Amino acid sequence: MRLAARSVHSLLFYSSISSFSFLIASAATFNACPLLGAVYPAPTSIPSSSIIQSALSNATDALDTLVTTGNSTEGPFAPANITTWSIGMFSTSDESSDPFWQYHYTAPSVANSTAGVHKADIDSVYRVGSISKLFTVYSLLVQAGDGYWQDPVTKWVPELAAIAAGDAKEGVEDISRIRWEDVTLGDLADQIAGLPRDYTADLINQVPAGIDPTQLGFPPLNASEIPSCSYENLCNRTDFFNFYAKRHPVFLPATTPAYSNDAFEILAFAIEGITNQTVDQILSDSVYKPLNMSRSSLSTPPDPSLAVIPISINSSSYDLDFGLGAPYGAMYSTIRDMTSAGRSMLNSTLLPPAVTRRWFKPGAHTDSLVFSVGKPWEIIRSTINGRVVDVYTKTGNVGDYGSIIALVPDFQVGLTILAAAPKTPINPFGGVQPELAASIIAEEVFPALEQAAKQQATDDFAGTYTATALNSSLVLAADNLPGLNITSLISNGTDFLADLAIVAGVSGTSLRAYPTNLRSSAADGTSQVAFTLLLTSPESIGKGVIEVDCFSWGAVDNLEYGMEQLQQLVFDMDAQGKVVAVENPALRVKMEKNA
C-alpha cells in the first residue's frame, strides 16, 4: 500500500501520523471514509418522524402492490397473491412494547383454512424454521455466556469424543473421517464446521413409492447402506451418532461456510452438556418467560386456533415433528414475540453488553463481497448513502412457512417478517422466501432512518460552541457526507484546522465527528457522550489488487497532546438530554453551546 507524498512538516511527525496520512490520502474528492458503524446517534422518536413515516407509507403502498399484483420494485413474486404476511418493525427507543410499524395481509388459503386464525395479526403464530438456530445460540449466551466458543465439541458431547478416539486409533484418514477433536462450538455456530447438511435428507428416503432408484441412475444399495432415520422416522440420540460414526466430512473444520442443520443439533447436545438443561428448557425459563414471549415454543403449540395455517394442518407442515432437530428448525412464534426478542438482543436485555457486541460480528466470509456469516447470523453488507451498513439477519423456511428477522445495530432497529403460502400450481413446493418483502421495506426505510438520524444529530449537536475565558470556539455542521463536519476550530486565537493540515502535510482537509458508544452518566441526570474525529482530504491514491481505498480504522486516535486525545470531542448534556457544551481533551478547554 502506498502513502501519499508528505511535506517536510509531516515527515517530522511521521511516527505518530503514518496511518493518519494514509487515511487522508485515501479519501478522494471528499468521499468521506467513516469507521464501520453508526455515523450519527441512532434515531429516536421514530413514530413522530415525518421522514420515517413517509418512508413507511411508501413501504405499505409497495407491499399492497406486491400482494395484489405480484409485482414489485425488486421484481415479480409469483406466490404473492396466495401469501399471508405479518410484518413488524421495531426500535430500542420504542415507548410501546409493540412494533412502531406493522403490516398484515391474509390470503384466501388462511381466511378459508380448516384450522387456525382466519385473519393474521400481531399475535398470530407462525413456524419460523431456521430462526430456531438464532435462539439456540441465544440460549447458550443467556445461560452460560460466550466463553465456550473455542471449546472442542468433544469436550461436551461424549459420543463424539468416543468416535474421535476410535478414528484416531484406527488411523482413519481425513477424507474419510470428521476430525471432531478440531471442531469447536464456535465452528458449529458459525457454520464452518465442515459437516453434512442434514442427516434426514438422504435421497433414498425421497424417491417416490413404487419407483426403483436404480431406474433413476442410482446404484443398488445393501440394507446396511440405507439410513434408518428420515423425517418420517426420526432418529434418537443413539441413531444419530451411529450415523455420524460412518459419515464423511465436507471440509476440514474452519475452512469455509457450508450450511448445516446437523451442526446445530450437535450444538444443542453440547449446550445440554454445559448447562445440564435442554435448549427447550433454557428458552422457556430464561428467554420466553422474562421477555413475555407467551406464544413462542420449540414444540407444537397445543392450540392451533391461534396459528396461521394455510389450507390445513397436515398440508402446511404446521405440526411437522423435528424430534432432536428441534433446535435447528422447529420454533413457533409471533410478530409480538419476535419484536420482544429482537429488541432484547439489540438492547442487551438478557446479556452483558460486551457479550452482545462480540455476538454482533462476522465469524467468516462467503464468496460474496456483501455477505458474511456469524453465530448464526446471515450478514448482509448493504450500502446506504455511500457507506457500509451491516444488517444481521436470520432466515427460516419449513413447509409452507418462510420468515426473516433483520437487526440493524447502526439504527437500533429490527424487522421481522413471518409469512405462509400453500402448495399450488404456481408454488408447487409451498412456502415463501421473505427476502423480497424485506428488500422492499429496507429500500424505503433504511435511507430514511439514516436521514432522520442525521436530522436529529444536526438538531442536537450542530451549532457554534464558544469558550468563556479563551478565544476558542468550534463550529459543527451537517453536510452531504456522513458524520458532522467541524467547519471551524479556533484554539486560543489560532486557526487550529489550518495548523492541523500543515502538521499532516495536506491541504483542504475535512475534520469529521462520528459517534462512539462511550457514555457516562451522573446521579443528577446529566451525562457525557464522546465522538471520535477523523480527517479526510481530496487527495487520492490508486487502488490495486492488495490496496484499499478506505483505511479509517487505522487512523483512530493517532494524535495526542500531553497524553490527551486530540481526535475526540466530549459533549456535556443536561438532565433533559440537551447538549450544553463540548470539550476536546487535548486542547483542554470547554466551550459552551450558543443558544
Side-chain angles (χ1 to χ4, degrees), residues 224-380:
S224 62
E225 296 174 306
I226 298 175
S228 59
C229 303
S230 66
Y231 277 123
E232 289 75 28
N233 182 29
L234 296 171
C235 275
N236 58 34
R237 182 163 176 156
T238 299
D239 293 333
F240 179 84
F241 287 111
N242 284 340
F243 169 84
Y244 262 101
K246 305 172 184 176
R247 196 62 169 89
H248 295 182
V250 179
F251 295 101
L252 290 176
T255 298
T256 190
Y259 197 89
S260 172
N261 288 327
D262 290 352
F264 281 80
E265 188 163 342
I266 294 169
L267 179 62
F269 290 138
I271 292 172
E272 186 173 348
I274 292 168
T275 65
N276 293 316
Q277 292 180 279
T278 66
V279 169
D280 196 9
Q281 290 171 325
I282 297 171
L283 289 175
S284 296
D285 296 339
S286 301
V287 177
Y288 300 154
K289 286 182 181 178
L291 297 179
N292 197 27
M293 296 173 64
S294 60
R295 294 191 179 181
S296 296
S297 64
L298 279 185
S299 57
T300 304
D303 184 4
S305 68
L306 304 175
V308 167
I309 301 174
I311 310 297
S312 70
I313 289 177
N314 289 337
S315 67
S316 66
S317 298
Y318 177 77
D319 62 349
L320 178 66
D321 185 4
F322 278 71
L324 294 173
Y328 74 69
M331 187 173 166
Y332 300 77
S333 196
T334 69
I335 289 295
R336 188 186 301 277
D337 285 3
M338 292 296 289
T339 295
S340 296
R343 188 182 286 127
S344 77
M345 293 172 186
L346 288 169
N347 241 351
S348 296
T349 304
L350 302 179
L351 299 176
V355 172
T356 299
R357 292 193 296 273
R358 288 191 289 267
W359 187 22
F360 279 84
K361 295 290 185 295
H365 300 302
T366 71
D367 57 333
S368 170
L369 292 176
V370 296
F371 187 83
S372 299
V373 295
K375 298 180 173 64
W377 302 113
E378 296 154 3
I379 305 166
I380 309 298

Side-chain angles (χ1 to χ4, degrees), residues 484-560:
L484 297 174
N485 186 28
I486 297 180
T487 61
S488 173
L489 178 56
I490 305 300
S491 177
N492 197 22
T494 300
D495 185 345
F496 197 76
L497 281 183
D499 288 348
L500 192 60
I502 293 173
V503 169
V506 296
S507 61
T509 55
S510 173
L511 184 61
R512 310 193 69 81
Y514 302 101
T516 70
N517 52 8
L518 301 175
R519 186 183 187 101
S520 61
S521 300
D524 62 359
T526 60
S527 61
Q528 291 184 312
V529 295
F531 280 55
T532 192
L533 300 178
L534 293 175
L535 269 166
T536 57
S537 165
E539 296 180 24
S540 178
I541 62 171
K543 183 181 178 184
V545 174
I546 58 172
E547 291 180 307
V548 295
D549 61 356
C550 197
F551 199 67
S552 53
W553 68 271
V556 177
D557 193 34
N558 270 338
L559 302 179
E560 296 181 353

Side-chain angles (χ1 to χ4, degrees), residues 124-146:
S124 299
V125 177
Y126 292 75
R127 298 208 80 161
V128 300
S130 286
I131 289 179
S132 309
K133 295 179 175 68
L134 178 62
F135 282 84
T136 294
V137 170
Y138 203 20
S139 73
L140 176 61
L141 294 176
V142 169
Q143 196 70 8
D146 63 355

